[in-house]
Amino acid sequence: MLNEKVAELLNIQVNKEFYSAYLYLDFSNYYIGQGLEGFGNWYKIQAQEERDHAMLFMQYLQNNGCKVTLEAIDKPDKELKEFADPLHAGYEHEQVVTGLIHTIYEAAHEVKDFRTMQFLDWFVKEQGEEEANAEGLIRKYELFGSDPRALYMLDSELGARVYSAPSLVL
Ligand code: MG
């Protein structure tokens, strides 16, 4: 059995990852409404990845004989007025998620739960990539967003993103 505090934090993370999925679906929905289908596609796939993360946390708890409680998912409440808004909100959100993962890691480290630390290693690395991707999108938008033709190209590029299942298998 896992340490009670560690299990509780992992259970909270299930909810946080589903919230991430919900938030990115909201971004996707916003962009599609604005006619930027490619940005919409990028965030729709991001939402699928977040759902995968939630499922991995759930699976890990189940594999360790822990009870999983599914709580209500918060309503996405980021104000989306301009094309750049989801990009900035997404980057800020990923930084928060990195902090959450680190908090679980610290709790596991404190009780010498090396198995959970090893499980979380994948997420620590993943968060580095998520932050880099989110920052990269902001940079590209700042460079090209004000030129309609360049924005069209960027939208096409983001429209080419395809879903792939997470590399972590439990
Ligand atoms: Mg995630």
Side-chain angles (χ1 to χ4, degrees), residues 17 20 50 53 94 97 127 130:
E17 298 291 343
S20 297
E50 300 303 342
H53 297 165
E94 286 305 330
V97 173
Q127 281 312 119
E130 300 284 33

Tab-separated table of all heavy atoms in Angstrom, residues 17 20 50 53 94 97 127 130, ligand 1:
chain	number	residue	atom	x	y	z
A	17	GLU	N	-5.519	16.473	-13.817
A	17	GLU	CA	-5.234	16.139	-15.220
A	17	GLU	C	-6.525	16.174	-16.051
A	17	GLU	O	-6.518	16.629	-17.196
A	17	GLU	CB	-4.553	14.766	-15.324
A	17	GLU	CG	-3.195	14.674	-14.624
A	17	GLU	CD	-2.083	15.495	-15.285
A	17	GLU	OE1	-2.235	15.894	-16.452
A	17	GLU	OE2	-1.067	15.743	-14.612
A	20	SER	N	-7.124	19.693	-16.732
A	20	SER	CA	-6.268	20.150	-17.832
A	20	SER	C	-6.915	19.805	-19.175
A	20	SER	O	-6.938	20.628	-20.096
A	20	SER	CB	-4.882	19.494	-17.764
A	20	SER	OG	-4.202	19.860	-16.585
A	50	GLU	N	-3.917	14.959	-21.936
A	50	GLU	CA	-4.194	15.193	-20.512
A	50	GLU	C	-5.113	14.112	-19.943
A	50	GLU	O	-4.939	13.667	-18.814
A	50	GLU	CB	-4.796	16.590	-20.302
A	50	GLU	CG	-3.922	17.737	-20.749
A	50	GLU	CD	-2.555	17.763	-20.079
A	50	GLU	OE1	-2.373	17.125	-19.038
A	50	GLU	OE2	-1.649	18.412	-20.628
A	53	HIS	N	-2.997	11.300	-19.173
A	53	HIS	CA	-2.270	11.485	-17.916
A	53	HIS	C	-3.169	11.102	-16.738
A	53	HIS	O	-2.742	10.401	-15.817
A	53	HIS	CB	-1.818	12.941	-17.739
A	53	HIS	CG	-0.837	13.393	-18.786
A	53	HIS	ND1	-0.540	14.714	-18.997
A	53	HIS	CD2	-0.106	12.691	-19.688
A	53	HIS	CE1	0.354	14.817	-19.973
A	53	HIS	NE2	0.629	13.600	-20.418
A	94	GLU	N	0.579	25.017	-17.263
A	94	GLU	CA	1.590	23.951	-17.234
A	94	GLU	C	2.609	24.172	-16.121
A	94	GLU	O	3.092	23.208	-15.523
A	94	GLU	CB	2.286	23.821	-18.588
A	94	GLU	CG	1.434	23.163	-19.672
A	94	GLU	CD	0.877	21.784	-19.289
A	94	GLU	OE1	1.521	21.055	-18.505
A	94	GLU	OE2	-0.216	21.432	-19.754
A	97	VAL	N	0.998	22.885	-13.056
A	97	VAL	CA	0.989	21.414	-13.045
A	97	VAL	C	2.373	20.868	-12.684
A	97	VAL	O	2.486	19.919	-11.907
A	97	VAL	CB	0.514	20.845	-14.411
A	97	VAL	CG1	0.660	19.331	-14.451
A	97	VAL	CG2	-0.938	21.239	-14.676
A	127	GLN	N	6.584	17.202	-18.161
A	127	GLN	CA	6.294	18.606	-17.845
A	127	GLN	C	7.326	19.545	-18.462
A	127	GLN	O	6.978	20.654	-18.884
A	127	GLN	CB	6.212	18.819	-16.326
A	127	GLN	CG	4.889	18.389	-15.719
A	127	GLN	CD	3.679	18.913	-16.477
A	127	GLN	OE1	2.877	18.142	-16.988
A	127	GLN	NE2	3.547	20.232	-16.597
A	130	GLU	N	6.124	19.858	-21.936
A	130	GLU	CA	4.881	20.647	-22.010
A	130	GLU	C	5.182	22.143	-21.898
A	130	GLU	O	4.627	22.952	-22.652
A	130	GLU	CB	3.905	20.260	-20.886
A	130	GLU	CG	3.451	18.813	-20.876
A	130	GLU	CD	2.412	18.480	-21.927
A	130	GLU	OE1	2.425	19.068	-23.030
A	130	GLU	OE2	1.576	17.598	-21.647
B	1	MG	MG	-0.720	16.561	-17.901
